[in-house]
Each structure stands twice: as C-alpha cells, then as structure tokens.
Amino acid sequence: MNRRQPLPAETPVVTVEEVGGRALIAAPNPIAAASGILPGLSLADARALMPGLAVFPADPSGDMAALARLADWCIRYTPLVALDGTHGIWLDIAGAAHLFGGEADLLADLRHRLGKLGYRNQAAIADTPGAAWAAARFLSGEDSIVAPGEARAMLAGLPVAALRLPSAIAGDLERLGLRRIADLYPLPRAALARRFGLLPGERLDQALGRCEEPISPRLPAPMHQVRQVLAEPIIDADNIAAVLQRLMNRLCCELAIAGRGARKLELGCYRVDGRAVKLGVGTSKPSRDERALLRLFAERLERIDPGFGIEALTLSAPHVEPLADLQLALKRGESVESGDLATLIAPLIDRLGNRLGFERLARAVPRESHLPERALKRLAALASPPRPSAMSRWPDRKSPLRLLPRPEPVQASAPTGSPPEEFFWRGRRRRIRRADGPARVSCEWWRGDRTAPRDYWRLEDEEGGRFWLYGQAGGWYLHGLFA
C-alpha cells in the first residue's frame, strides 16, 4: 500500500477548487501566501509565480466538519461557542475566564493546546466580537488582549479590511484614500451609506460596541453546568467515575439551590487530541438524587473512548424541571400516598430506560370506554398523561388480572339472568361451584356500536379455577382468568 510521504516544511502548498470551469486557489499555506499567492488567484498564475507549488484539491465539507469538531472541543472553556464563517471560532468567555486564572491565562492555555494539536492559530480577546476578530487577524500575539474601552484606539491603525468587509468594498475604500479604520471615524454616516451602503457603518458600530452583535452558539448554553480541568490526563473508567462523582455533587447542590431536578444529563469528555466525547442519560422524572444519577452513568462509562487521555470534563443538565423537597423526602422511606407511586419507581424506570431505551418502556393509562378490552391503552413511559375526565379513570369493577387477547366463545346454557351450571372451554368441562354477578356493561353507542349489552359473571369451578364469563345475545364468552 502506497503512503503519501510528508512534504518538507519549506514546500509551498495550496488547495484548489473549480469555479466556473477554472481552477482557483482556495487556501495557501504561509509560504505560498508570502510569495503573493492569495485565495481567488488562478492555478496557472500561481504556478507562474512558484513553479514548485504542491497542489491538492479543496475539501470544503471536510474543512467544515473539522472546524465543527474543534468548536465542540472549545466548549471545555465556555458553553457559548459559535462558528465564525468557515475559518474561525467565536468563544464568549464572559463569566468563564476566572475559572482558568484570568483572560491572559485562558488565552495562553488555548493557544498552547491548539499548537500541540498542530494548529497554527491566532486568537485575541476584546469587548466586542468585531474587535476580537480584527485583533486576532491584524495584531501580534503580544497585543492580542484589548483592554476594556481600548477598542477604538486599537482599531484606528488597522486597515479597513479588519471590519469584515467584502474585498470589493474594502478595495473601493482604499482607492479613495480611506485605508485605515481611523479614516472612517470623522466621516458623516449618511454620506458613507450613500456611497458604500449600510454595511461599513454597521460593522464599525459593532466593532466599537455601539450596537449589539450577539453570536449564535452551536448548542444552547445549559442553565446548569459544572466543569473540571485536570492537571494530568486520565484514561481509565475508574478515574472518570471519580471525577464524575465530584461533578455530580456540585451539580446536584446547584440544582437544589434552584429548586430543580434534572431530566437529562450530559457528560462531556475533552481529549488531548482535540476531540470531544459526549455521553448522555435521561430520567423519567426530575431528579437530583446523586447516587441514583451516578448509577445511570456507571453502566455506560466503559463506552467512553479516552484516546490518549481526557484533560477536562463537563457535566450539564440541559433539561431541568421544578422539583420540590417533598419529592426527595418520599424517597427516604417516609409515608407514601398512592399518587406518589410513580415517584418511587422513577429510579427503576431510569435504569431500564437508559439500558434498553425509553421507547421500549410503556405504562397503562385509563381510556374513556366501558368495554374492558378498551378501558386501558399503552403510553410511553416518559409521555405526559392525558387530561383526566369523568370516564378516563381506573375501572372500579372487580376485573381479572389477565384478559384474553379477545373473548373466546364457550359452550354453555343458562336461564336468562342466571349463570351457567357448567361450560366447555378448550375441550374441557368446567362444573361451576360458585357464581357472583351479573354486572352489566352496555355498548358504546357514541362510537356507533349497536351490539347487545354484556352480563359479566365471576365463576369458580370444582377445581378452584376462577373465570370471567359474560352472556350476550344468547351466547357465552370467556373474557378473562382470575389468579
């Protein structure tokens, strides 16, 4: 199998895409860019400038997928991470920088780790997204942190292209002598808009913080999240479980203060190779029972691939619901009312659901029907119960635990209003010793059912077997068996 040999470090490299039948440069490496080969240049012109150019086909979808993976890895610093087009990543670190020792330490850690992953990167911190974008691309690393209130002075000496303007607009501004952003400060906004449209003024206002420019994070920021950055990478499930236990304790304390319980938890493991591994579990009822939630993760930690090591973990609750302290007290064995049974079996449902899939769990709820075979229906374990009504309640008749899939006809005869003295079912003769009934069930006329009413009897034969039969229009049918 032939393997592509690595290129020497001094080789000029470009990627090429086909546009309108022409091969154009999509991206050059620094060596090629230093020789004047820029995106949009034709491949023929690029080769005329540098005959020894190494050319590879562009892969936009692969580049976007790699950028998205890197953005997911950056969530280790802040949950508010967004893609900046196809070449950059936004990180909103407001309220998160102190977790890493301050803005300077966070930025140094980010650049160091990206460098270890093989990424040549430029990063900057500023009050506004526009100012940070400009500083990251046009300032040196030493000046990459713009102090609060210093964005105007920093932007003044940068070219107008630092305002994220299209190349055509930036070129027109430069031809008119407006080469620096400071040249735009004294210009009347109306005159600028008449000549170049609203975009230059809007970008300038965004960079200076005169108007808001919110970023759209890839994932909604969870309301409750805790994180742990590790001094040394970990690779085995026992160490992951130990860190998870500390994170779970902190998260449950935070949920208790907020009076909420988690319905969904997500564990994020950030590996040293720049990949993020996510593991999620769900609960049938809101919960902040630390031990019960840890058990849900315990069965799945072995599935985590740590790669060469995990250097940071986050635990978030993206879906929470109100949870009163009374519900927690019930789990400690205090008196339980019948309506709280669902709360007590919630841990069992959680374990079965996370192991087998919640879609495979179902529960029975009453349905508006007089007929026993229609009085119940299956409902997903996590589905909200239907609104109760006068008819949608559990039947109060003494029905058997087991109903047959459909009533089976039996051979029997009895006077009107009396139970049979014997009946034949599945080739056997059953002599009746005791009988209780009848209980009449009428047809459901509102559904178009015009059949005769049923008269149900509870029967016991000489061998102790107990049966549920009904007579209807001269015939007898076996509908269920008692224990």
Side-chain angles (χ1 to χ4, degrees), residues 279-457:
L279 180 63
V281 299
T283 63
S284 58
K285 297 248 179 220
S287 172
R288 54 176 182 264
D289 186 333
E290 183 178 339
R291 288 187 295 179
L293 295 175
L294 285 173
R295 283 197 296 268
L296 301 182
F297 278 106
E299 302 174 356
R300 308 179 66 183
L301 291 182
E302 295 291 344
R303 304 181 188 179
I304 296 177
D305 179 12
F308 295 104
I310 296 172
E311 58 185 1
L313 293 95
T314 61
L315 181 64
S316 59
H319 185 188
V320 297
E321 292 180 1
L323 178 62
D325 290 336
L326 175 61
Q327 293 172 275
L328 297 180
L330 291 173
K331 295 184 179 181
R332 294 196 290 266
E334 298 182 8
S335 60
V336 180
E337 298 179 1
S338 58
D340 296 314
L341 181 59
T343 302
L344 293 178
I345 66 173
L348 174 62
I349 296 177
D350 296 342
R351 295 190 67 183
L352 293 176
N354 284 284
R355 180 180 298 177
L356 306 175
F358 283 100
E359 68 279 358
R360 298 185 179 182
L361 302 183
R363 54 180 171 145
V365 296
R367 181 164 51 181
E368 297 180 354
S369 178
H370 293 315
L371 303 179
E373 63 270 24
R374 291 181 53 85
L376 302 177
K377 67 177 179 180
R378 287 170 56 92
L379 195 66
L382 298 183
S384 300
R387 180 178 298 178
S389 64
M391 294 183 61
S392 60
R393 59 174 182 264
W394 295 104
D396 54 5
R397 68 175 76 91
K398 297 180 179 180
S399 305
L401 183 63
R402 177 189 174 191
L403 289 181
L404 300 180
R406 59 181 57 85
E408 297 184 11
V410 298
Q411 298 178 12
S413 60
T416 302
S418 301
E421 296 182 355
E422 63 180 14
F423 67 92
F424 291 85
W425 178 55
R426 294 184 179 178
R428 289 191 59 185
R429 184 180 194 178
R430 308 281 183 172
R431 292 184 179 276
I432 304 304
R433 183 173 61 181
R434 297 176 182 175
D436 181 22
R440 172 156 292 192
V441 175
S442 301
C443 65
E444 297 181 339
W445 54 266
W446 61 90
R447 299 182 187 274
D449 185 4
R450 302 298 180 184
T451 58
R454 303 175 182 179
D455 289 331
Y456 278 88
W457 291 85

Side-chain angles (χ1 to χ4, degrees), residues 175-345:
R175 280 191 291 272
L176 292 176
L178 303 173
R179 294 182 174 83
R180 301 294 173 185
I181 296 178
D183 299 332
L184 303 180
Y185 289 166
L187 293 182
R189 189 59 55 84
L192 188 64
R194 281 195 302 269
R195 182 69 182 269
F196 301 101
L198 298 176
L199 186 60
E202 180 182 356
R203 290 300 194 199
L204 182 59
D205 288 341
Q206 290 174 345
L208 295 176
R210 293 173 181 169
C211 65
E212 293 292 333
E213 185 186 6
I215 66 172
S216 299
R218 285 172 47 78
L219 300 173
M223 184 180 304
H224 302 279
Q225 184 183 71
V226 293
R227 65 181 65 241
Q228 179 70 55
V229 178
L230 306 176
E232 295 290 338
I234 57 176
I235 59 174
D236 59 280
D238 291 339
N239 286 330
I240 297 174
V243 178
L244 174 60
Q245 184 174 5
R246 294 197 296 269
L247 292 175
M248 187 69 73
N249 178 264
R250 290 164 52 192
L251 182 63
C252 288
C253 291
E254 184 177 313
L255 291 173
I257 295 173
R260 295 180 176 272
R263 284 292 306 275
K264 182 179 180 181
L265 293 174
E266 187 174 80
L267 176 66
C269 302
Y270 301 91
R271 307 189 330 191
V272 296
D273 60 358
R275 293 181 178 268
V277 181
K278 301 294 181 67
L279 180 63
V281 299
T283 63
S284 58
K285 297 248 179 220
S287 172
R288 54 176 182 264
D289 186 333
E290 183 178 339
R291 288 187 295 179
L293 295 175
L294 285 173
R295 283 197 296 268
L296 301 182
F297 278 106
E299 302 174 356
R300 308 179 66 183
L301 291 182
E302 295 291 344
R303 304 181 188 179
I304 296 177
D305 179 12
F308 295 104
I310 296 172
E311 58 185 1
L313 293 95
T314 61
L315 181 64
S316 59
H319 185 188
V320 297
E321 292 180 1
L323 178 62
D325 290 336
L326 175 61
Q327 293 172 275
L328 297 180
L330 291 173
K331 295 184 179 181
R332 294 196 290 266
E334 298 182 8
S335 60
V336 180
E337 298 179 1
S338 58
D340 296 314
L341 181 59
T343 302
L344 293 178
I345 66 173

Side-chain angles (χ1 to χ4, degrees), residues 133-134 138 155-175 177-185 187 192 200 203-204:
W133 191 95
F138 293 91
L155 291 169
L158 300 184
V160 291
L163 290 178
R164 295 174 290 162
L165 297 175
S167 57
I169 295 179
D172 289 342
L173 289 170
E174 291 174 357
R175 280 191 291 272
L178 303 173
R179 294 182 174 83
R180 301 294 173 185
I181 296 178
D183 299 332
L184 303 180
Y185 289 166
L187 293 182
L192 188 64
R203 290 300 194 199
L204 182 59

Side-chain angles (χ1 to χ4, degrees), residues 31-46:
I31 298 175
S35 301
I37 300 176
L38 301 176
L41 187 69
S42 68
L43 179 59
D45 292 341

